[in-house]
Amino acid sequence: MGLSNSTQKNEAQRTKQIFILSGQSNMSGRGGVFNHHWDSVVPLECSPDASKIFRLNAHLGWEVAHEPLHRDIDNKKTCGVGPGMSFANAVKERVGVVGLVPCAVGGTRIKQWARGSHLYENMIRRARAAAAQGTEIKALLWYQGESDTTTRDNAESYKENMEKFIHNVRADLHLPSLPIIQVAIASGEGKFIEKIRQVQKGIDVPNVVCVDAKGLELKEDNLHLTTRAQVELGHMLAEAYLTHFVSPSDSVI
């Protein structure tokens, strides 16, 4: 049975630990999407939890989170399973109520996330709206770079652009030590995949850690992660967050 509207509203007002989900299509999720249709298969690890996992919708309101998380954000493409729900289910017992802020948009280059761009400003607006409702931003989960593998110029400027992005996000959210967990890409649209991966794994900025998606199962397009791979990635992101940014004394009993 579903929760009543009043019950959902009361649950959604609870204090949350906020996680921003951003980047491009493998963050917004293409798991289970075939021929522009999502197969609606939701693994157990991605199940909704009406008391502990919420998402900020496109209208800046909290609602019980369920797949696809980015359905009204990355809305020019068909969204499926991404890593967000498996991440949230894996951390909720340690951190408490989770608030997910989906911001990812497929097919975007790092330069499109520069300060002043629509994508960047919308992400900051959404994050601020989440925080303004009595919640705390705990981390940014970032999976992007496939679209930057197409040209040498994009690949060679990726490090500078990514470091600038990190600096700007922290400055604009007034969170100078905001944890950022980025994913080293497993695939790409061009031939400079390894160059982008080297940059991602080599970013040396405090409170920035990297998880490596290489080896996770790809769909037949050799670009997007399968549903099962997205579940695994969510667990990898959760392990990275809990290992690097949560101490035993922080855990919820």
Side-chain angles (χ1 to χ4, degrees):
M1 293 178 62
L3 294 178
S4 68
N5 288 339
S6 60
T7 302
Q8 284 202 35
K9 184 176 180 180
N10 290 337
E11 291 287 359
Q13 290 173 341
R14 296 173 63 187
T15 300
K16 303 168 194 67
Q17 308 300 302
I18 299 300
F19 296 91
I20 304 166
L21 311 176
S22 200
Q24 53 182 116
S25 57
N26 272 319
M27 178 56 79
S28 62
R30 299 292 186 265
V33 175
F34 303 96
N35 297 320
H36 309 294
H37 295 282
W38 179 46
D39 63 12
S40 298
V41 174
V42 177
L44 181 64
E45 298 93 334
C46 301
S47 298
D49 184 334
S51 65
K52 281 198 170 180
I53 306 176
F54 298 88
R55 79 165 194 127
L56 194 74
N57 62 31
H59 302 291
L60 306 181
W62 289 110
E63 62 188 26
V64 174
H66 63 81
E67 299 286 9
L69 285 175
H70 280 78
R71 57 191 175 273
D72 58 351
I73 304 298
D74 190 10
N75 56 12
K76 293 183 180 179
K77 300 286 182 68
T78 303
C79 292
V81 173
M85 286 300 294
S86 63
F87 168 84
N89 275 302
V91 301
K92 65 184 182 183
E93 299 306 325
R94 291 282 299 278
V95 307
V97 179
V98 174
L100 301 173
V101 182
C103 300
V105 176
T108 53
R109 301 182 306 280
I110 187 68
K111 290 178 180 177
Q112 294 176 266
W113 291 91
R115 179 189 266 163
S117 69
H118 169 73
L119 291 172
Y120 179 88
E121 298 301 333
N122 188 55
M123 177 182 68
I124 297 298
R125 179 179 67 93
R126 288 175 55 71
R128 287 173 175 165
Q133 299 179 49
T135 57
E136 184 178 359
I137 300 173
K138 304 301 288 187
L140 164 64
L141 310 184
W142 177 259
Y143 190 168
Q144 187 278 334
E146 294 94 341
S147 290
D148 287 285
T149 64
T150 55
T151 70
R152 184 178 300 277
D153 178 65
N154 284 346
E156 291 181 346
S157 62
Y158 194 85
K159 182 176 187 294
E160 178 183 356
N161 288 324
M162 185 63 199
E163 290 179 347
K164 190 179 298 183
F165 171 82
I166 292 167
H167 171 81
N168 289 341
V169 169
R170 287 173 166 174
D172 290 342
L173 293 178
H174 306 291
L175 295 169
S177 300
L178 176 69
I180 295 174
I181 307 175
Q182 65 165 346
V183 181
I185 58 174
S187 59
E189 300 172 16
K191 63 182 181 180
F192 296 101
I193 296 173
E194 284 306 316
K195 176 66 175 175
I196 298 293
R197 283 175 45 78
Q198 287 173 12
V199 170
Q200 292 171 327
K201 293 190 293 180
I203 294 284
D204 185 17
V205 177
N207 278 5
V208 176
V209 300
C210 183
V211 301
D212 196 347
K214 189 171 185 178
L216 294 178
E217 184 181 37
L218 297 173
K219 294 165 57 178
E220 290 183 2
D221 62 8
N222 288 316
L223 183 63
H224 295 109
L225 299 184
T226 65
T227 295
R228 178 49 49 188
Q230 288 285 16
V231 170
E232 292 181 48
L233 179 60
H235 291 166
M236 292 164 62
L237 290 164
E239 182 179 7
Y241 178 72
L242 295 173
T243 299
H244 292 278
F245 303 115
V246 178
S247 67
S249 61
D250 293 332
S251 299
V252 175
I253 305 300

